[in-house]
Amino acid sequence: MAVMHRASVPMQFELSVALAAMMSLLAFMIDWPRAVAGLVLGAVCRFLPYGTILVPVGVLLVSALAELLYPLFGRTAEPHFWSFFAGLFAVAGTASSLFITIRNLKDRL
């Protein structure tokens, strides 16, 4: 059985924060309005009970709602299934990254 040294724990946290930041940056490049909504979702779900269940449900709802609202704002011509999938990545990339990073930071302190 492997023994985890205390010195390796901060490095794991720093690596997870770097990966979360990279995922969020990529999500912003794909679709910034949904990425901002994902940040809000991740921050709000952190303070709600059952946040680990609410984040995936919220990701689906935010991505679907944005897909229906984008034609009204002129961002797209019509709702499209592949755009919905790209929106899922944008929302999930920021919401889950922020949610997990805050949880890990709270556990570390």
Side-chain angles (χ1 to χ4, degrees), residues 13-32:
F13 177 73
E14 292 164 356
L15 179 63
S16 68
V17 169
L19 288 173
M22 191 171 61
M23 183 67 71
S24 294
L25 181 64
L26 185 61
F28 270 95
M29 288 191 296
I30 290 174
D31 191 359
W32 72 267

Side-chain angles (χ1 to χ4, degrees), residues 8-63:
S8 67
V9 174
M11 185 61 159
Q12 290 175 354
F13 177 73
E14 292 164 356
L15 179 63
S16 68
V17 169
L19 288 173
M22 191 171 61
M23 183 67 71
S24 294
L25 181 64
L26 185 61
F28 270 95
M29 288 191 296
I30 290 174
D31 191 359
W32 72 267
R34 288 189 233 202
V36 171
L39 283 176
V40 172
L41 176 69
V44 168
C45 285
R46 183 61 208 129
F47 299 105
L48 297 176
Y50 306 108
T52 55
I53 297 170
L54 293 175
V55 168
V57 171
V59 164
L60 286 171
L61 292 175
V62 167
S63 185

Side-chain angles (χ1 to χ4, degrees), residues 67-92:
E67 192 62 32
L68 294 175
L69 291 177
Y70 274 1
L72 298 176
F73 297 126
R75 188 162 165 90
T76 60
E78 61 185 13
H80 196 270
F81 199 61
W82 293 113
S83 176
F84 171 74
F85 279 129
L88 279 177
F89 176 77
V91 177

